[in-house]
Amino acid sequence: MTPMPAEAPAAAGGPQSLPFSDAASCKLWLEQVLHSSVTDCHGALFHAVGQLPRSPLRPAVKLESLELMRETVALVQFEHARRCRGKPVPLDAGERAVWESVVALWQAMAAAYESLIADMAGAAPELAGAAPLVCQRALRYTGLAMAEHGRAYHAVTGALWRQLHRLYVFAESAGIATTEVGDAVGRFEPATSCAATYVRALLAQQAQPDALTLQQMGCVEHWLDRWERLVEVSPQPPPASAIPALAVDLTSSKGIGFAKDMPATGVRHLHLEALARTLRHAAVALKQGRTPAELGLGDLPADACEKLLLLLNIQWCAAGTGRLDERTPSGIRVMIFPSIRSIHYHLTGRPFRQPGGAGQGEPVTLTQRSEAMETWLVVNRSVSGFLGLSRDPRTATRVSHSQLLGLQAPATKNLYLGIVQRLVVDEDGGIWAGMRLVPGIPQPAAARVADIATADPDAVKFDRALLLPEDSPRRIPTSIILQPGWYQVNRILDLHTGPAQKIRLRMVLDAGPNFERAGYAVIGS
């Protein structure tokens, strides 16, 4: 479930509860509040921002105070949000409380700036000259609230979409949509406008954050600093093309869609030609040997950067036409095994034992048993993957992006492995996970680092591993799935599947928060 739009906190003790009375005292207060803990500082900022719209301060002082608070808000939000960004879903109670408070402060900032738009039409017509800046700030903080949903793998609410569209409609009607303003807070390129900030929010969501890692989301945010002004928002459609045109319905509760599906009025078309050229040129430059850093694309490895550019080109400029497999509806239920431990336990049917050891294996924990009992619904499937759904509020399985899962339909004996490629919690609390199937039937094994010199007895113990056969059609070698942190190129492992073997790890094929998958070669027994 997603938080309700933030409301300003109720005034405690009336206007005097605002901790400052003008811009100078606001600056002093901000210096003092930074000496408190992150949690206390966050609460103080939320209280002050929420009080501003109803305070008796002159609108010009409110605007100046909000501008002074922006750097501090950005810093505190970043530190506070570390506790919830990228965490497995469903969030636990503490993580959820932090996430809701982070979203609430972004929304409170947007509401405070939007309240100044109303002041311009009433008590403060002198603020009209600041209208482009005020509206851009309200759009920016609305976009940040939306982005915070993505970083926690939650769907953006319809209320946030309506707020974003409403603010852009005001900018258009006031004739200020393309007026340039400066915004250096949390950005590498300060020059922007209301239209560019609106485009930024649209494109950030069209990039499908449910399919991105936190690092990839950060790259997209960085790149949009430079690319947001390449897209024109217009009532007129772009030139005819083989690629379906994209547009946005300003009266809707959602983002970008196909122009052909839009109503006759209230639609704005996206002219993406300049952005498409930029993406193509960047991809070509990478293939020619230039580094991402040289192209202003950050410090991603070149291959990862190229893959992300391709994904963005598909989502932004090719109307999401990258899917190769036909998906068919399904309604089967599958058992979910969320860790190597639970997968191994299910495959062997017994507690893990050290190879060659005598006596009983490890005691089976309650967690292992419960992990082996949870069921999800497969909504649709293709040759390469599944879309799974869990609507049980009591779900014990917390799922991360890129996590390895075991899946088994009750009517079949074989267990399959999948890697979570898409992850989102909808507004009703349902967890949707798109999984890419790993070809082959996994086999249980035990592995340890060979010839390790240590006095720590635990370091020389075997641990659970999974083996996958060679996939010749896809040119994927025989591989082993290990606990995270085990892989090192050319590392030698003792492998036990019955007869003892030694293997040499050769390359990483996949990795996620709960596993590493590596190709290997047998070097002896």
Side-chain angles (χ1 to χ4, degrees):
M1 297 175 65
T2 49
M4 296 295 290
E7 296 181 358
Q16 67 271 22
S17 62
L18 193 65
F20 50 84
S21 57
D22 55 24
S25 58
C26 176
K27 188 173 182 179
L28 288 173
W29 173 74
L30 287 169
E31 292 172 357
Q32 294 167 357
V33 81
L34 278 174
H35 293 293
S36 56
S37 69
V38 171
T39 301
D40 290 344
C41 186
H42 192 275
L45 286 167
F46 179 68
H47 176 83
V49 173
Q51 289 287 343
L52 263 179
R54 61 169 62 91
S55 78
L57 297 181
R58 290 184 298 108
V61 175
K62 294 179 184 179
L63 175 57
E64 193 173 359
S65 299
L66 283 168
E67 289 292 289
L68 287 170
M69 282 193 266
R70 296 188 72 221
E71 287 278 7
T72 303
V73 166
L75 173 64
V76 173
Q77 287 278 73
F78 177 78
E79 292 298 329
H80 198 45
R82 288 176 184 269
R83 296 170 55 190
C84 62
R85 288 179 178 173
K87 298 296 184 182
V89 297
L91 301 175
D92 67 27
E95 292 162 351
R96 183 168 186 82
V98 170
W99 175 64
E100 289 180 344
S101 69
V102 171
V103 173
L105 182 49
W106 291 137
Q107 291 185 253
M109 289 291 286
Y113 276 104
E114 189 172 4
S115 72
L116 296 175
I117 295 176
D119 288 339
M120 292 175 202
E126 69 276 7
L127 278 185
L133 181 143
V134 169
C135 188
Q136 185 272 334
R137 301 293 196 256
L139 282 162
R140 175 64 170 151
Y141 285 111
T142 303
L144 287 170
M146 298 169 81
E148 210 62 59
H149 282 69
R151 295 188 189 104
Y153 296 105
H154 280 62
V156 173
T157 63
L160 275 173
W161 279 117
R162 292 190 295 273
Q163 178 175 312
L164 186 79
H165 299 326
R166 181 182 70 247
L167 289 164
Y168 178 71
V169 168
F170 167 78
E172 260 197 6
S173 63
I176 59 171
T178 58
T179 302
E180 185 170 305
V181 300
D183 184 359
V185 176
R187 294 170 51 94
F188 295 94
E189 298 283 341
T192 187
S193 67
C194 292
T197 304
Y198 179 61
V199 164
R200 179 194 191 95
L202 293 175
L203 292 180
Q205 295 305 311
Q206 187 66 10
Q208 304 295 319
D210 63 328
L212 303 179
T213 64
L214 278 185
Q215 183 186 34
Q216 289 173 322
M217 291 183 214
C219 288
V220 173
E221 283 289 324
H222 171 50
W223 297 349
L224 283 173
D225 282 349
R226 299 166 55 198
W227 297 344
E228 63 182 21
R229 290 185 292 167
L230 297 176
V231 178
E232 180 188 355
V233 182
S234 172
Q236 303 303 318
S241 166
I243 302 298
L246 298 180
V248 61
D249 178 2
L250 297 178
T251 65
S252 74
S253 301
K254 52 190 177 182
I256 294 172
F258 291 121
K260 64 181 179 61
D261 298 329
M262 298 288 171
T265 59
V267 172
R268 294 298 179 268
H269 297 268
L270 302 181
H271 292 243
L272 298 155
E273 299 86 352
L275 177 60
R277 284 195 301 272
T278 297
L279 292 171
R280 289 195 300 269
H281 292 164
V284 169
L286 288 172
K287 287 184 179 295
Q288 292 173 343
R290 297 190 64 187
T291 67
E294 289 173 338
L295 298 172
L297 299 176
D299 55 1
L300 269 184
D303 58 341
C305 186
E306 188 175 346
K307 288 178 182 177
L308 183 54
L309 287 171
L310 175 61
L311 184 149
L312 294 177
N313 186 64
I314 290 170
Q315 294 300 328
W316 291 344
C317 307
T321 55
R323 176 169 289 167
L324 299 177
D325 295 334
E326 185 71 23
R327 291 194 176 270
T328 57
S330 180
I332 64 171
R333 293 193 173 273
V334 295
M335 297 175 67
I336 293 291
F337 308 93
S339 66
I340 294 175
R341 293 171 66 94
S342 60
I343 294 168
H344 195 282
Y345 175 73
H346 181 74
L347 289 172
T348 62
R350 63 177 184 269
F352 180 70
R353 294 177 172 85
Q354 289 294 313
Q360 299 296 315
E362 295 180 357
V364 182
T365 66
L366 179 62
T367 299
Q368 284 173 283
R369 287 199 178 99
S370 63
E371 282 178 343
M373 294 171 61
E374 190 159 317
T375 59
W376 283 43
L377 176 69
V378 173
V379 178
N380 63 46
R381 56 183 173 173
S382 69
V383 173
S384 62
F386 294 94
L387 176 63
L389 167 65
S390 172
R391 288 207 180 277
D392 187 349
R394 301 163 299 173
T395 181
T397 301
R398 299 185 71 200
V399 181
S400 297
H401 193 276
S402 303
Q403 181 174 336
L404 179 76
L405 297 176
L407 307 97
Q408 183 184 39
T412 65
K413 292 183 178 180
N414 289 334
L415 182 147
Y416 296 91
L417 301 180
I419 299 172
V420 177
Q421 303 288 279
R422 306 183 77 99
L423 182 65
V424 68
V425 180
D426 65 26
E427 290 192 62
D428 296 322
I431 301 172
W432 297 78
M435 289 165 275
R436 170 172 59 86
L437 279 179
V438 180
I441 305 300
Q443 300 298 320
R448 69 179 178 186
V449 178
D451 305 323
I452 187 170
T454 177
D456 181 2
D458 289 333
V460 297
K461 286 185 176 180
F462 283 86
D463 202 351
R464 303 158 188 80
L466 305 170
L467 299 182
L468 286 165
E470 179 183 7
D471 182 6
S472 299
R474 295 179 177 84
R475 298 183 179 180
I476 299 175
T478 305
S479 59
I480 184 169
I481 293 178
L482 302 161
Q483 299 288 349
W486 275 56
Y487 175 79
Q488 289 181 13
V489 65
N490 291 324
R491 169 170 271 181
I492 296 174
L493 301 182
D494 291 322
L495 179 66
H496 194 282
T497 57
Q501 292 180 307
K502 286 188 182 295
I503 63 172
R504 186 189 303 275
L505 302 182
R506 299 174 62 186
M507 78 289 286
V508 171
L509 301 174
D510 283 304
N514 67 337
F515 81 104
E516 291 172 343
R517 180 188 177 202
Y520 69 88
V522 177
I523 59 174
S525 58

